Amino acid sequence: MAKLILNRFFLGVLTLFAVSVLIFVCTEILPGDVASAVLGQGATPEALAVFRKELGYDIPSYMRYWNWLVGVLHGDLGIALTNKRVIVDEVLPRLGNTMFLAGYAALIAIPVAVGLGVFSAINEGKISDKLANILSLIAISFPEFFIAYLLIIFLSVNVDWFPSLSTVFKGMPFSERVYQTTLPAITLTLLVAAHMLRMTRSSVLSVMSTPYIEMAFLKGAKRGRVITRHALPNAAAPIITVIALNLAYLVVGVVVIEAVFVYPGLGQLMVDAVSKRDVPVIQACGLVFAMVFVLLNTVADILVILVNPRLRHKR
Amino acid sequence: MPMNDIHPESSIILDRRQLITGAAAFGLSATFGAMPAMAQGAPKKGGTLRMGVEGGSASDSFDPRTYADSVMINISLMLWNNLVEVADNGDATGELFENWEVKPGAADWTFNIRKGITFASGKTLDADDVIYSINMHRGETKSPAKALLADIKEIKKISPTQIQILMTNGNLDLPYNLSDYHIIVVPNGTTDFSKPDGTGAYLLEEFQAGVRATFKRKPGNYWKPNRGNFDRVELRYIGDAAARTQALVTGQVDVINRVDPKTAGLLAKSKGIKLSRTPGAGNRFAFVAHTDKSPFSNPDLMMALKFGIDRKKIVDNVFSGYASIGNDHTVGAKMKYYDPKQKLHAYDPDKAKFFFKKANIAGPVELQVSEGAFSGATDSGQVFQESLSKAGIQLDLKRVSGDGYWDNVWLKQPFCAVYWGNRPTIDNQLTSTFKANTTWNDTHFNNPEFEKLLVAARVELDQPKRAQMYARCQELISENAGMVCFAVQDYIDAYNTKLGGLTVSGRYDLADDRIAEKGWFI
């Protein structure tokens, strides 16, 4: 058991290493370079040469990768090329913001989606089941910025309940932060809930056709009880996986939402860095995103093993 | 070439000169109601100005040598001052320089520094600070202002409040060059810009690059009367045009820049919101051809292309009317020495056909466009293609990636899209784009008469004569260079009508990037 979990973690670390190589190679082949992107109109060949030298672009790339990797392992993500700030100091507050929003959205989305999924399964075929299905399909079909703009029009422009800008900053009171981020959190909920709801519903229903469920019915249990006590625990594995995937999306896939609500998350930082070709920042963001993704998936794998005893033993 | 500044404007708005003309024509009372917040009596103190600004990123820093776009320019001018300010009418006026004298030949200048100005730290401004601040942009530096100061030979301190600048080549535009937004005045010896110590109206409270910055008014009286009126200023970075517009509509900010021309008309109808349009100050949009290579070396082909582009249609459709028609050079209509009388290459398919026939070119002409060049480049190219086809000329549009456009396409391909930013002076505007053998001469223009005029005009003290020389320069370019410059974009700001002092400068938007200093709440 412990060995299995350790194994998973080891695989996660290996994946991260592979990703770090990929990130480095990909940023190396980005067209254009930081010097001309930063200097813009002022990029005379002379200024470019001065800047490039300053950036250490005169050493070979495998050396730069090695230096970078050693730095990362020591918790040092380097210095931003453009404004000379320590990248860790830039990334951490942004990551905190991103996690806050993702956590907020997950807090709404997971109970709502799983609850509604179970509810749909209990009421399979009834009007409430169909309604939940249709609504979730609608929500999942719209592009995210469209949902965001709809919410802004209705809840921000028309009735003025929530601000359309979600600029959070250090020192903002917690309650204010929650209020400011409500609209993006609702948008994200709408985006991910449908996926989880449908997965919950279908995996519960697929368990429903097994013999032991039939047995439960035969001994006289009500449908609701059969589903929550007997079916749900055995349907948990795919639900956990889909929740993990959606949580990962909440962290790494919300760039558009961040732009629409002007939310200072990690995605926005990465977009800024890409447009300025600030390679160390791009690499840092990419690595953090990869870590979140790998970590969530590893945790999901382990949880699945825990809830399903059959997976603990080799057949 | 590229400057990160961009964008639009509106029909409802007016610059001050138009306004005054309007007021004179219709009687003051009639126009007053519709008047934008521009001259509503004496400025009042107080309030928090909330700005929503595009033109910045998480990589911004206070080092003036890295400024490239609106956010940092606005922030910088809250904390620091320039040496020279360009007034709304386009004249260079003293800021931290009180005034100056120039000897004939325009190579020997004496500048008087304003007395009694102190930095936030309490240090008094003197000549050493000024010299240090200018020298940051000279010598081995990556400062974009370096080229503007390249002709300075020596800066001498005459007294604590007076300096002398000697130049290798005379240039009457030196004060304009010194008004460049990079050249702010910092205390002598400053190397750490993260703790701003300036002579500006505000003190920094908080700064998070790419997110927001807040400021409070410096205690005591600001050295410029009637300026620096807000108690606090909060500037938010809002990159998305729709988000910016909503922020203004929902009252979360008081002023925004770079309104999307497509929605500007709608926005102007919102209650309590006005637009402010800065015409002729935005980017110049053009297609540029290398005239030293076939087939563009054929002047008749260039004339066919110039007469074969429907500029008005591009301005109306691609830029929703928030641009003025360009005439194949980069001098904007609001720029000093712009020649309003030059011949316009108006759309004329017959003439285009005539010149194309005369050029005797076989096969289609290829144009490379990309949204990476400027937003609207592809659409402009399509209108160009369509309007040329009416003259029987086939244009092949090749869409290329926006990524790396400036490295891989511009200056390399024989015919491609480009934009040029607004420059501080006509000399700078013409020199950077059209002087022979300079890096960015993207049409490979080389005209002996132009070269001679350009240098001579720099030192011509006789104003009418100077104007004439620049008019001729514009004509030479328009007729001979390989540039089809079809539109000059307007800037559009939108602001809450409670805000006063949003003057239109003709240079940059947001009251020449000084709205925090110039504005007030009515």
Side-chain angles (χ1 to χ4, degrees), chain B residues 3-10 54-55 69-70 239 241 244 257-262 276-285 319 322-323 374-376 419 488-493 509:
Chain B
M3 158 145 180
N4 294 336
D5 288 23
I6 319 261
H7 299 98
E9 31 136 338
S10 129
E54 185 198 354
D69 215 337
S70 298
R244 244 180 357 264
N257 67 346
R258 302 186 196 170
V259 174
D260 184 348
K262 294 188 187 76
S276 166
R277 183 173 176 174
T278 309
N283 292 313
R284 289 82 165 116
F285 299 124
F319 301 105
Y322 294 102
F374 54 87
S375 169
Y419 77 91
V488 179
Q489 188 177 34
D490 299 353
Y491 286 122
I492 324 173
D493 301 327
D509 47 357

Side-chain angles (χ1 to χ4, degrees), chain A residues 67-82:
Chain A
N67 293 344
W68 178 62
L69 192 67
V70 171
V72 170
L73 292 176
H74 288 85
D76 173 16
L77 293 171
I79 307 282
L81 298 180
T82 45

Side-chain angles (χ1 to χ4, degrees), chain B residues 385-439:
Chain B
Q385 186 180 42
E386 185 197 310
S387 61
L388 274 178
S389 75
K390 283 185 195 149
I393 304 170
Q394 194 190 339
L395 182 77
D396 279 353
L397 267 192
K398 189 173 167 198
R399 286 185 200 110
V400 294
S401 160
D403 244 357
Y405 183 85
W406 303 110
D407 287 332
N408 306 328
V409 181
W410 182 62
L411 295 179
K412 308 235 167 39
Q413 296 301 328
F415 196 30
C416 68
V418 69
Y419 77 91
W420 279 90
N422 185 29
R423 297 305 179 93
T425 62
I426 187 169
D427 174 58
N428 192 259
Q429 192 92 49
L430 297 179
T431 305
S432 46
T433 328
F434 296 108
K435 187 163 172 17
N437 305 320
T438 53
T439 328

Side-chain angles (χ1 to χ4, degrees), chain A residues 32 41 82 164 167 272 277, chain B residues 3 58 236 252 407 423 440:
Chain A
Q41 209 160 11
T82 45
S164 68
T167 325
D272 279 354
R277 300 287 182 268
Chain B
M3 158 145 180
R236 297 208 225 186
Q252 290 180 78
D407 287 332
R423 297 305 179 93
W440 291 337

